[in-house]
Amino acid sequence: MKIHEYQARELLSNAGIPVPAGEMIESVESAAGAYKRVVTEAGLGEGGLAVVKAQVYAGGRGKAGFVKLVHSESEATDAARFMLSNRMVSPQTGAEGMEVKKLLVAAGVEIAKEYYLAITTDRATRRNVLIASAEGGVEIEKVAAERPDAIIKEPIHPLLGLQGHQARRVAFALGMTGKQVGQAAKIMLQLASLYQQKDCSLAEINPLIVTPATGEAPDGTVLAIDAKFNFDDNAMFRQHAIAELSDPSEANQNELRASRMGLNYIQLEGDIGCLVNGAGLAMSTMDIIKHEGGTPANFLDVGGSASEEAVTEGFRIILADKAVKGILVNIFGGIMRCDVIAQAVANAAKEVGFSVPLVVRLEGTNVDEGRKILESAQASIPTMQSAGDLGDAAKRIVAAVG
Ligand code: GDP
Ligand code: MN
């Protein structure tokens, strides 16, 4: 599960990590007032620096022009108008981009240096790991790929947690000096306990910054000015406050619709829709489609106990996807009965109609009943073919899609 940056900043702030003041807005008209309040709160006054940032579940906003520094109410208004009326396209959004519905207006800060700081779970070592780099800011993925030595990794003990000496060592390794070391180490420790308490799978501050030296703070101040959190979906039963932060308008609408019916659906970019029972079988179905030269349009596991209504909804979702040029149904009936699937095919044919080729492979529980239902529905589904096995099914649908 993901949350917006403005919510992530609040989590950081509640955990004691310093973050500039900010306000979430949803309209162009609110921008001027929000600008005025955040600069006033930060003691900056008229003409003070603020930043307007698109709130979407995707990164790379800075490079895409969706993080803008502003110095007045009118600049804040212009930035808000631009972001709320253009789709954001970044390497993380796909070519169609994302609609922006929420913005963050935050007090701006002067930056002397940007760092990267994150905690995630490292499956290889089966531990949480603190990741840091002095090459923070944008494009950390590029740094990691091209100069892996610029990335510091510190394993976190599963019972003891991140230790003070580890955090200080990382701060020194980042090249921090004087009072920066203590401030950064404290932030690392706070981030590590937040990660643990909230069942995160990623807690990232990019950039963590040091501000320029001033009279009162000759080493500058360490602050978080961007934050991204992912949470373990399996922990939501005990993280009610976090679960409530989820923004349904950011989710893929088909995925949301499927999850309401207890279906496990993930939208992909190909043109062969798949309806399968069981996650493992769904993955091998996608593999074999690829093997035969096709590309799956989705992953869909209807599970073992889906009702006829749920499976019919699965067909509705696949058929509503304009990219779908053919559908492969692959059922190995164990708990799931073949006749339930066949009935759902017949329902979907009646209700929506299969305008695209459909290949059905049924095997297992109640397969004879299932085949009978399909035979009587065949007349109303002229594009339907039956397949003997999975290999045959994949060949047929790839050939039919062309
Ligand atoms: P992202 O591109 O989606 O990760 O968005 P960020 O919030 O990380 O912003 C991208 C970049 O904009 C940062 O790396 C900074 O260089 C710059 N930036 C963001 N906020 C401020 C700010 O308050 N002051 C200054 N000077 N630069 C900022
Ligand atoms: Mn960032």
Side-chain angles (χ1 to χ4, degrees), residues 241-283:
I242 297 292
E244 277 175 19
L245 298 178
S246 177
D247 181 351
S249 73
E250 289 287 305
N252 178 300
Q253 293 309 304
N254 282 340
E255 293 178 10
L256 203 65
R257 201 172 144 189
S259 76
R260 281 199 209 102
M261 287 304 255
L263 302 170
N264 198 353
Y265 173 93
I266 294 163
Q267 181 116 39
L268 300 168
E269 275 158 13
D271 54 11
I272 299 179
C274 313
L275 186 139
V276 190
N277 68 317
L281 192 60
M283 304 254 245

mmCIF file of all heavy atoms in Angstrom, residues 241-283:
data_model
loop_
_atom_site.group_PDB
_atom_site.id
_atom_site.type_symbol
_atom_site.label_atom_id
_atom_site.label_comp_id
_atom_site.label_asym_id
_atom_site.label_seq_id
_atom_site.Cartn_x
_atom_site.Cartn_y
_atom_site.Cartn_z
ATOM 1 N N ALA A 241 -4.964 2.877 11.115
ATOM 2 C CA ALA A 241 -4.737 4.299 10.844
ATOM 3 C C ALA A 241 -4.004 4.475 9.516
ATOM 4 O O ALA A 241 -4.287 5.413 8.756
ATOM 5 C CB ALA A 241 -3.939 4.936 11.978
ATOM 6 N N ILE A 242 -3.099 3.579 9.209
ATOM 7 C CA ILE A 242 -2.373 3.643 7.934
ATOM 8 C C ILE A 242 -3.319 3.282 6.786
ATOM 9 O O ILE A 242 -3.369 3.983 5.768
ATOM 10 C CB ILE A 242 -1.160 2.671 7.947
ATOM 11 C CG1 ILE A 242 -0.146 3.087 9.023
ATOM 12 C CG2 ILE A 242 -0.508 2.585 6.567
ATOM 13 C CD1 ILE A 242 0.574 4.379 8.766
ATOM 14 N N ALA A 243 -4.092 2.196 6.970
ATOM 15 C CA ALA A 243 -4.997 1.749 5.896
ATOM 16 C C ALA A 243 -5.926 2.877 5.465
ATOM 17 O O ALA A 243 -6.240 3.033 4.287
ATOM 18 C CB ALA A 243 -5.795 0.532 6.355
ATOM 19 N N GLU A 244 -6.335 3.722 6.436
ATOM 20 C CA GLU A 244 -7.242 4.819 6.114
ATOM 21 C C GLU A 244 -6.607 5.909 5.264
ATOM 22 O O GLU A 244 -7.297 6.746 4.694
ATOM 23 C CB GLU A 244 -7.794 5.431 7.403
ATOM 24 C CG GLU A 244 -8.978 4.640 7.907
ATOM 25 C CD GLU A 244 -9.477 5.135 9.247
ATOM 26 O OE1 GLU A 244 -9.174 6.279 9.628
ATOM 27 O OE2 GLU A 244 -10.175 4.344 9.901
ATOM 28 N N LEU A 245 -5.272 5.904 5.187
ATOM 29 C CA LEU A 245 -4.590 6.936 4.407
ATOM 30 C C LEU A 245 -4.619 6.643 2.902
ATOM 31 O O LEU A 245 -4.310 7.497 2.089
ATOM 32 C CB LEU A 245 -3.124 7.066 4.852
ATOM 33 C CG LEU A 245 -2.899 7.488 6.305
ATOM 34 C CD1 LEU A 245 -1.408 7.518 6.610
ATOM 35 C CD2 LEU A 245 -3.509 8.856 6.576
ATOM 36 N N SER A 246 -4.993 5.415 2.552
ATOM 37 C CA SER A 246 -4.984 5.018 1.146
ATOM 38 C C SER A 246 -5.950 5.889 0.332
ATOM 39 O O SER A 246 -7.047 6.183 0.773
ATOM 40 C CB SER A 246 -5.385 3.552 1.046
ATOM 41 O OG SER A 246 -5.449 3.190 -0.308
ATOM 42 N N ASP A 247 -5.520 6.306 -0.848
ATOM 43 C CA ASP A 247 -6.334 7.162 -1.712
ATOM 44 C C ASP A 247 -6.858 6.320 -2.873
ATOM 45 O O ASP A 247 -6.134 6.046 -3.824
ATOM 46 C CB ASP A 247 -5.452 8.314 -2.234
ATOM 47 C CG ASP A 247 -6.215 9.282 -3.115
ATOM 48 O OD1 ASP A 247 -7.373 8.982 -3.470
ATOM 49 O OD2 ASP A 247 -5.653 10.339 -3.449
ATOM 50 N N PRO A 248 -8.143 5.906 -2.809
ATOM 51 C CA PRO A 248 -8.654 4.991 -3.840
ATOM 52 C C PRO A 248 -8.602 5.580 -5.238
ATOM 53 O O PRO A 248 -8.528 4.848 -6.215
ATOM 54 C CB PRO A 248 -10.093 4.714 -3.404
ATOM 55 C CG PRO A 248 -10.401 5.684 -2.330
ATOM 56 C CD PRO A 248 -9.138 6.247 -1.800
ATOM 57 N N SER A 249 -8.608 6.918 -5.348
ATOM 58 C CA SER A 249 -8.611 7.511 -6.688
ATOM 59 C C SER A 249 -7.264 7.328 -7.388
ATOM 60 O O SER A 249 -7.138 7.514 -8.581
ATOM 61 C CB SER A 249 -8.987 8.991 -6.632
ATOM 62 O OG SER A 249 -7.922 9.730 -6.099
ATOM 63 N N GLU A 250 -6.220 6.948 -6.621
ATOM 64 C CA GLU A 250 -4.904 6.731 -7.225
ATOM 65 C C GLU A 250 -4.732 5.296 -7.710
ATOM 66 O O GLU A 250 -3.795 4.975 -8.417
ATOM 67 C CB GLU A 250 -3.795 7.040 -6.209
ATOM 68 C CG GLU A 250 -3.650 8.506 -5.892
ATOM 69 C CD GLU A 250 -3.015 9.296 -7.028
ATOM 70 O OE1 GLU A 250 -1.923 8.939 -7.480
ATOM 71 O OE2 GLU A 250 -3.638 10.285 -7.470
ATOM 72 N N ALA A 251 -5.628 4.412 -7.264
ATOM 73 C CA ALA A 251 -5.472 3.004 -7.630
ATOM 74 C C ALA A 251 -5.975 2.778 -9.054
ATOM 75 O O ALA A 251 -6.789 3.535 -9.557
ATOM 76 C CB ALA A 251 -6.260 2.131 -6.667
ATOM 77 N N ASN A 252 -5.501 1.736 -9.689
ATOM 78 C CA ASN A 252 -6.016 1.332 -10.993
ATOM 79 C C ASN A 252 -7.482 0.923 -10.799
ATOM 80 O O ASN A 252 -7.793 0.084 -9.966
ATOM 81 C CB ASN A 252 -5.164 0.165 -11.512
ATOM 82 C CG ASN A 252 -5.675 -0.361 -12.850
ATOM 83 O OD1 ASN A 252 -6.810 -0.816 -12.968
ATOM 84 N ND2 ASN A 252 -4.831 -0.286 -13.842
ATOM 85 N N GLN A 253 -8.391 1.538 -11.561
ATOM 86 C CA GLN A 253 -9.823 1.341 -11.321
ATOM 87 C C GLN A 253 -10.257 -0.107 -11.562
ATOM 88 O O GLN A 253 -11.116 -0.625 -10.850
ATOM 89 C CB GLN A 253 -10.651 2.320 -12.159
ATOM 90 C CG GLN A 253 -10.479 3.770 -11.726
ATOM 91 C CD GLN A 253 -10.691 3.987 -10.220
ATOM 92 O OE1 GLN A 253 -11.731 3.648 -9.665
ATOM 93 N NE2 GLN A 253 -9.696 4.531 -9.530
ATOM 94 N N ASN A 254 -9.639 -0.764 -12.550
ATOM 95 C CA ASN A 254 -9.964 -2.173 -12.791
ATOM 96 C C ASN A 254 -9.503 -3.041 -11.626
ATOM 97 O O ASN A 254 -10.195 -3.976 -11.227
ATOM 98 C CB ASN A 254 -9.290 -2.667 -14.067
ATOM 99 C CG ASN A 254 -10.039 -2.196 -15.295
ATOM 100 O OD1 ASN A 254 -11.213 -1.843 -15.212
ATOM 101 N ND2 ASN A 254 -9.351 -2.184 -16.423
ATOM 102 N N GLU A 255 -8.332 -2.725 -11.083
ATOM 103 C CA GLU A 255 -7.794 -3.509 -9.973
ATOM 104 C C GLU A 255 -8.686 -3.361 -8.738
ATOM 105 O O GLU A 255 -8.942 -4.314 -8.000
ATOM 106 C CB GLU A 255 -6.343 -3.099 -9.686
ATOM 107 C CG GLU A 255 -5.419 -3.474 -10.837
ATOM 108 C CD GLU A 255 -3.965 -3.063 -10.653
ATOM 109 O OE1 GLU A 255 -3.570 -2.639 -9.551
ATOM 110 O OE2 GLU A 255 -3.225 -3.176 -11.634
ATOM 111 N N LEU A 256 -9.184 -2.129 -8.567
ATOM 112 C CA LEU A 256 -10.060 -1.840 -7.433
ATOM 113 C C LEU A 256 -11.378 -2.611 -7.563
ATOM 114 O O LEU A 256 -11.864 -3.225 -6.609
ATOM 115 C CB LEU A 256 -10.345 -0.335 -7.431
ATOM 116 C CG LEU A 256 -10.760 0.300 -6.126
ATOM 117 C CD1 LEU A 256 -9.618 0.215 -5.134
ATOM 118 C CD2 LEU A 256 -11.122 1.763 -6.355
ATOM 119 N N ARG A 257 -11.927 -2.569 -8.775
ATOM 120 C CA ARG A 257 -13.182 -3.250 -9.071
ATOM 121 C C ARG A 257 -13.032 -4.754 -8.819
ATOM 122 O O ARG A 257 -13.914 -5.382 -8.220
ATOM 123 C CB ARG A 257 -13.471 -2.991 -10.559
ATOM 124 C CG ARG A 257 -14.886 -3.166 -10.960
ATOM 125 C CD ARG A 257 -15.046 -2.677 -12.385
ATOM 126 N NE ARG A 257 -16.009 -3.532 -13.063
ATOM 127 C CZ ARG A 257 -16.255 -3.492 -14.367
ATOM 128 N NH1 ARG A 257 -15.578 -2.657 -15.140
ATOM 129 N NH2 ARG A 257 -17.147 -4.288 -14.894
ATOM 130 N N ALA A 258 -11.898 -5.316 -9.268
ATOM 131 C CA ALA A 258 -11.662 -6.744 -9.083
ATOM 132 C C ALA A 258 -11.518 -7.084 -7.601
ATOM 133 O O ALA A 258 -12.069 -8.079 -7.120
ATOM 134 C CB ALA A 258 -10.403 -7.159 -9.849
ATOM 135 N N SER A 259 -10.810 -6.245 -6.872
ATOM 136 C CA SER A 259 -10.557 -6.582 -5.469
ATOM 137 C C SER A 259 -11.846 -6.550 -4.653
ATOM 138 O O SER A 259 -11.993 -7.286 -3.691
ATOM 139 C CB SER A 259 -9.494 -5.662 -4.863
ATOM 140 O OG SER A 259 -10.041 -4.405 -4.594
ATOM 141 N N ARG A 260 -12.808 -5.719 -5.073
ATOM 142 C CA ARG A 260 -14.112 -5.710 -4.395
ATOM 143 C C ARG A 260 -14.814 -7.052 -4.517
ATOM 144 O O ARG A 260 -15.626 -7.422 -3.674
ATOM 145 C CB ARG A 260 -15.018 -4.615 -4.976
ATOM 146 C CG ARG A 260 -14.667 -3.254 -4.447
ATOM 147 C CD ARG A 260 -15.808 -2.270 -4.641
ATOM 148 N NE ARG A 260 -15.252 -0.944 -4.775
ATOM 149 C CZ ARG A 260 -15.098 -0.296 -5.925
ATOM 150 N NH1 ARG A 260 -15.516 -0.835 -7.063
ATOM 151 N NH2 ARG A 260 -14.550 0.894 -5.960
ATOM 152 N N MET A 261 -14.533 -7.784 -5.591
ATOM 153 C CA MET A 261 -15.148 -9.100 -5.801
ATOM 154 C C MET A 261 -14.237 -10.221 -5.311
ATOM 155 O O MET A 261 -14.501 -11.395 -5.579
ATOM 156 C CB MET A 261 -15.444 -9.311 -7.290
ATOM 157 C CG MET A 261 -16.607 -8.492 -7.793
ATOM 158 S SD MET A 261 -18.131 -8.778 -6.859
ATOM 159 C CE MET A 261 -19.036 -9.773 -8.002
ATOM 160 N N GLY A 262 -13.135 -9.871 -4.654
ATOM 161 C CA GLY A 262 -12.211 -10.891 -4.154
ATOM 162 C C GLY A 262 -11.359 -11.506 -5.247
ATOM 163 O O GLY A 262 -10.796 -12.583 -5.073
ATOM 164 N N LEU A 263 -11.273 -10.813 -6.389
ATOM 165 C CA LEU A 263 -10.439 -11.314 -7.481
ATOM 166 C C LEU A 263 -9.075 -10.659 -7.411
ATOM 167 O O LEU A 263 -8.958 -9.486 -7.066
ATOM 168 C CB LEU A 263 -11.073 -10.980 -8.838
ATOM 169 C CG LEU A 263 -12.484 -11.510 -9.102
ATOM 170 C CD1 LEU A 263 -13.044 -10.876 -10.366
ATOM 171 C CD2 LEU A 263 -12.457 -13.028 -9.222
ATOM 172 N N ASN A 264 -8.052 -11.410 -7.791
ATOM 173 C CA ASN A 264 -6.696 -10.883 -7.761
ATOM 174 C C ASN A 264 -6.295 -10.512 -9.181
ATOM 175 O O ASN A 264 -5.872 -11.365 -9.953
ATOM 176 C CB ASN A 264 -5.789 -11.970 -7.188
ATOM 177 C CG ASN A 264 -4.487 -11.421 -6.713
ATOM 178 O OD1 ASN A 264 -4.178 -10.250 -6.917
ATOM 179 N ND2 ASN A 264 -3.704 -12.278 -6.082
ATOM 180 N N TYR A 265 -6.467 -9.231 -9.545
ATOM 181 C CA TYR A 265 -6.271 -8.771 -10.925
ATOM 182 C C TYR A 265 -5.172 -7.727 -10.966
ATOM 183 O O TYR A 265 -5.153 -6.807 -10.149
ATOM 184 C CB TYR A 265 -7.582 -8.166 -11.430
ATOM 185 C CG TYR A 265 -7.512 -7.483 -12.777
ATOM 186 C CD1 TYR A 265 -7.806 -8.162 -13.941
ATOM 187 C CD2 TYR A 265 -7.152 -6.132 -12.876
ATOM 188 C CE1 TYR A 265 -7.750 -7.534 -15.183
ATOM 189 C CE2 TYR A 265 -7.091 -5.500 -14.106
ATOM 190 C CZ TYR A 265 -7.395 -6.197 -15.253
ATOM 191 O OH TYR A 265 -7.336 -5.570 -16.469
ATOM 192 N N ILE A 266 -4.263 -7.867 -11.913
ATOM 193 C CA ILE A 266 -3.242 -6.845 -12.132
ATOM 194 C C ILE A 266 -3.176 -6.524 -13.618
ATOM 195 O O ILE A 266 -3.028 -7.409 -14.448
ATOM 196 C CB ILE A 266 -1.859 -7.295 -11.608
ATOM 197 C CG1 ILE A 266 -1.915 -7.422 -10.089
ATOM 198 C CG2 ILE A 266 -0.770 -6.287 -11.996
ATOM 199 C CD1 ILE A 266 -0.817 -8.218 -9.494
ATOM 200 N N GLN A 267 -3.339 -5.257 -13.921
ATOM 201 C CA GLN A 267 -3.335 -4.810 -15.312
ATOM 202 C C GLN A 267 -1.920 -4.842 -15.869
ATOM 203 O O GLN A 267 -0.985 -4.390 -15.214
ATOM 204 C CB GLN A 267 -3.866 -3.375 -15.358
ATOM 205 C CG GLN A 267 -3.934 -2.801 -16.737
ATOM 206 C CD GLN A 267 -5.366 -2.509 -17.145
ATOM 207 O OE1 GLN A 267 -6.187 -2.059 -16.348
ATOM 208 N NE2 GLN A 267 -5.657 -2.786 -18.390
ATOM 209 N N LEU A 268 -1.759 -5.369 -17.081
ATOM 210 C CA LEU A 268 -0.454 -5.383 -17.748
ATOM 211 C C LEU A 268 -0.593 -4.689 -19.109
ATOM 212 O O LEU A 268 -1.643 -4.130 -19.388
ATOM 213 C CB LEU A 268 0.036 -6.830 -17.904
ATOM 214 C CG LEU A 268 0.204 -7.599 -16.589
ATOM 215 C CD1 LEU A 268 0.402 -9.074 -16.860
ATOM 216 C CD2 LEU A 268 1.362 -7.042 -15.785
ATOM 217 N N GLU A 269 0.449 -4.768 -19.924
ATOM 218 C CA GLU A 269 0.409 -3.957 -21.139
ATOM 219 C C GLU A 269 0.160 -4.712 -22.450
ATOM 220 O O GLU A 269 0.145 -4.103 -23.509
ATOM 221 C CB GLU A 269 1.681 -3.110 -21.220
ATOM 222 C CG GLU A 269 1.492 -1.826 -20.424
ATOM 223 C CD GLU A 269 2.788 -1.173 -19.976
ATOM 224 O OE1 GLU A 269 3.850 -1.556 -20.478
ATOM 225 O OE2 GLU A 269 2.705 -0.294 -19.113
ATOM 226 N N GLY A 270 -0.046 -6.027 -22.394
ATOM 227 C CA GLY A 270 -0.217 -6.802 -23.628
ATOM 228 C C GLY A 270 -1.646 -6.804 -24.146
ATOM 229 O O GLY A 270 -2.467 -5.959 -23.770
ATOM 230 N N ASP A 271 -1.973 -7.796 -25.018
ATOM 231 C CA ASP A 271 -3.296 -7.807 -25.641
ATOM 232 C C ASP A 271 -4.052 -9.132 -25.458
ATOM 233 O O ASP A 271 -5.119 -9.301 -26.028
ATOM 234 C CB ASP A 271 -3.184 -7.448 -27.134
ATOM 235 C CG ASP A 271 -2.201 -8.333 -27.884
ATOM 236 O OD1 ASP A 271 -1.760 -9.348 -27.306
ATOM 237 O OD2 ASP A 271 -1.869 -8.008 -29.040
ATOM 238 N N ILE A 272 -3.498 -10.060 -24.685
ATOM 239 C CA ILE A 272 -4.230 -11.308 -24.433
ATOM 240 C C ILE A 272 -4.716 -11.327 -22.980
ATOM 241 O O ILE A 272 -3.924 -11.415 -22.041
ATOM 242 C CB ILE A 272 -3.349 -12.544 -24.735
ATOM 243 C CG1 ILE A 272 -2.948 -12.532 -26.225
ATOM 244 C CG2 ILE A 272 -4.097 -13.838 -24.379
ATOM 245 C CD1 ILE A 272 -2.059 -13.690 -26.643
ATOM 246 N N GLY A 273 -6.026 -11.196 -22.822
ATOM 247 C CA GLY A 273 -6.612 -11.245 -21.488
ATOM 248 C C GLY A 273 -6.564 -12.674 -20.954
ATOM 249 O O GLY A 273 -6.754 -13.620 -21.715
ATOM 250 N N CYS A 274 -6.289 -12.830 -19.661
ATOM 251 C CA CYS A 274 -6.209 -14.177 -19.083
ATOM 252 C C CYS A 274 -7.156 -14.279 -17.896
ATOM 253 O O CYS A 274 -7.230 -13.363 -17.080
ATOM 254 C CB CYS A 274 -4.816 -14.472 -18.524
ATOM 255 S SG CYS A 274 -3.478 -14.054 -19.596
ATOM 256 N N LEU A 275 -7.843 -15.402 -17.809
ATOM 257 C CA LEU A 275 -8.660 -15.684 -16.629
ATOM 258 C C LEU A 275 -8.290 -17.086 -16.167
ATOM 259 O O LEU A 275 -8.494 -18.050 -16.906
ATOM 260 C CB LEU A 275 -10.145 -15.580 -16.974
ATOM 261 C CG LEU A 275 -11.081 -15.725 -15.760
ATOM 262 C CD1 LEU A 275 -12.228 -14.736 -15.841
ATOM 263 C CD2 LEU A 275 -11.615 -17.134 -15.601
ATOM 264 N N VAL A 276 -7.702 -17.163 -14.981
ATOM 265 C CA VAL A 276 -7.093 -18.404 -14.517
ATOM 266 C C VAL A 276 -7.450 -18.602 -13.043
ATOM 267 O O VAL A 276 -7.704 -17.632 -12.333
ATOM 268 C CB VAL A 276 -5.546 -18.344 -14.677
ATOM 269 C CG1 VAL A 276 -4.915 -19.695 -14.433
ATOM 270 C CG2 VAL A 276 -5.146 -17.823 -16.056
ATOM 271 N N ASN A 277 -7.454 -19.851 -12.591
ATOM 272 C CA ASN A 277 -7.623 -20.060 -11.148
ATOM 273 C C ASN A 277 -6.302 -20.483 -10.526
ATOM 274 O O ASN A 277 -5.658 -21.413 -11.005
ATOM 275 C CB ASN A 277 -8.721 -21.082 -10.849
ATOM 276 C CG ASN A 277 -8.353 -22.487 -11.287
ATOM 277 O OD1 ASN A 277 -7.819 -22.666 -12.372
ATOM 278 N ND2 ASN A 277 -8.620 -23.461 -10.447
ATOM 279 N N GLY A 278 -5.882 -19.753 -9.512
ATOM 280 C CA GLY A 278 -4.619 -20.051 -8.841
ATOM 281 C C GLY A 278 -3.518 -19.143 -9.348
ATOM 282 O O GLY A 278 -3.362 -18.947 -10.549
ATOM 283 N N ALA A 279 -2.756 -18.558 -8.404
ATOM 284 C CA ALA A 279 -1.713 -17.596 -8.779
ATOM 285 C C ALA A 279 -0.597 -18.282 -9.560
ATOM 286 O O ALA A 279 -0.087 -17.741 -10.545
ATOM 287 C CB ALA A 279 -1.159 -16.919 -7.533
ATOM 288 N N GLY A 280 -0.227 -19.484 -9.141
ATOM 289 C CA GLY A 280 0.870 -20.182 -9.813
ATOM 290 C C GLY A 280 0.495 -20.522 -11.241
ATOM 291 O O GLY A 280 1.270 -20.316 -12.178
ATOM 292 N N LEU A 281 -0.747 -21.005 -11.421
ATOM 293 C CA LEU A 281 -1.210 -21.353 -12.769
ATOM 294 C C LEU A 281 -1.317 -20.095 -13.627
ATOM 295 O O LEU A 281 -1.014 -20.113 -14.813
ATOM 296 C CB LEU A 281 -2.561 -22.078 -12.682
ATOM 297 C CG LEU A 281 -3.033 -22.757 -13.974
ATOM 298 C CD1 LEU A 281 -2.050 -23.819 -14.436
ATOM 299 C CD2 LEU A 281 -4.413 -23.377 -13.783
ATOM 300 N N ALA A 282 -1.736 -18.987 -12.990
ATOM 301 C CA ALA A 282 -1.857 -17.723 -13.724
ATOM 302 C C ALA A 282 -0.484 -17.273 -14.214
ATOM 303 O O ALA A 282 -0.339 -16.800 -15.344
ATOM 304 C CB ALA A 282 -2.497 -16.653 -12.850
ATOM 305 N N MET A 283 0.530 -17.450 -13.374
ATOM 306 C CA MET A 283 1.896 -17.070 -13.784
ATOM 307 C C MET A 283 2.373 -17.964 -14.913
ATOM 308 O O MET A 283 2.969 -17.490 -15.874
ATOM 309 C CB MET A 283 2.853 -17.217 -12.604
ATOM 310 C CG MET A 283 2.403 -16.417 -11.417
ATOM 311 S SD MET A 283 3.387 -14.983 -11.184
ATOM 312 C CE MET A 283 4.107 -15.390 -9.652
#
